[in-house]
Amino acid sequence: MARKALKPGKAVGQYIIRSEKAQDVLGVTYLGDEGPTAPGSAAVLIREVFPANLARRRGDKIHASRSTQRDEFDALIALESEKQKRYLALDTDGLIPALDHVEKNGTVYLVTEWPSGESLAQTLARDGLFSPGFARSLLSVLLPGLKALGEAGLVHSLISPTTIMRLDDGKPCVIAPD
């Protein structure tokens, strides 16, 4: 069952929700704008922690589904907040840059740059299987970012052809950190 996402136009800190992009077991990812006061402001990805098995939304606020799950929900939000702060401190090729960490609506949000480019899923659909040389060139850029994640005590468990993009400048990066 799909969770009730924030509606377009809602503010998350200085960021404004444009649309919902995806839902997974841990949360909802939105396309947003950097701010309401800057016409033509840059698009951003906004990752909301909204665990499917622990939470529900009332209005804009996220709560534990049951009072017996409150401690588990609070611990998960605290853990995800700490993980987002560690991700925010990373600055390396191969990872989509984080812009902000927002605590609001009973949960936490990670704001990252909006990647402009093509996902590996799109490239695969258009061109077919990748050559070994192409795969090596991708991995040579992605591995340092994934290593930095590991050194920060983080793991990206949603890596797939849809979460790896070749940006407009040709460099690959992993998007949608979980």
Side-chain angles (χ1 to χ4, degrees), residues 58-77:
R58 288 187 209 116
D60 293 342
K61 191 163 172 126
I62 295 175
H63 301 270
S65 296
R66 296 180 194 95
S67 60
T68 57
Q69 294 175 312
R70 186 74 205 171
D71 289 344
E72 186 179 0
F73 173 77
D74 289 345
L76 177 69
I77 297 300

Side-chain angles (χ1 to χ4, degrees), residues 51-127:
N53 61 340
L54 287 178
R56 66 177 175 229
R57 189 185 307 277
R58 288 187 209 116
D60 293 342
K61 191 163 172 126
I62 295 175
H63 301 270
S65 296
R66 296 180 194 95
S67 60
T68 57
Q69 294 175 312
R70 186 74 205 171
D71 289 344
E72 186 179 0
F73 173 77
D74 289 345
L76 177 69
I77 297 300
L79 174 64
E80 292 303 315
S81 178
E82 178 56 35
K83 286 167 56 177
Q84 288 181 4
K85 290 174 184 173
R86 281 186 270 154
Y87 187 85
L88 190 60
L90 297 176
D91 182 19
T92 182
D93 285 344
L95 299 176
I96 194 72
L99 301 172
D100 203 355
H101 164 81
V102 179
E103 297 181 16
K104 187 175 179 173
N105 299 329
T107 191
V108 291
Y109 301 84
L110 179 67
V111 181
T112 65
E113 289 184 2
W114 170 255
S116 180
E118 182 176 70
S119 74
L120 288 190
Q122 292 168 313
T123 304
L124 188 62
R126 185 190 65 235
D127 299 341

Side-chain angles (χ1 to χ4, degrees), residues 114-178:
W114 170 255
S116 180
E118 182 176 70
S119 74
L120 288 190
Q122 292 168 313
T123 304
L124 188 62
R126 185 190 65 235
D127 299 341
L129 293 177
F130 304 137
S131 71
F134 178 76
R136 276 192 300 276
S137 71
L138 291 175
L139 289 174
S140 70
V141 176
L142 294 176
L143 286 176
L146 295 174
K147 182 180 178 193
L149 272 180
E151 289 169 351
L154 302 170
V155 175
H156 193 305
S157 61
L158 297 175
I159 294 177
S160 72
T162 59
T163 61
I164 297 174
M165 293 192 70
R166 282 184 65 203
L167 302 176
D168 289 338
D169 66 5
K171 290 183 182 177
C173 77
V174 179
I175 65 166
D178 61 330

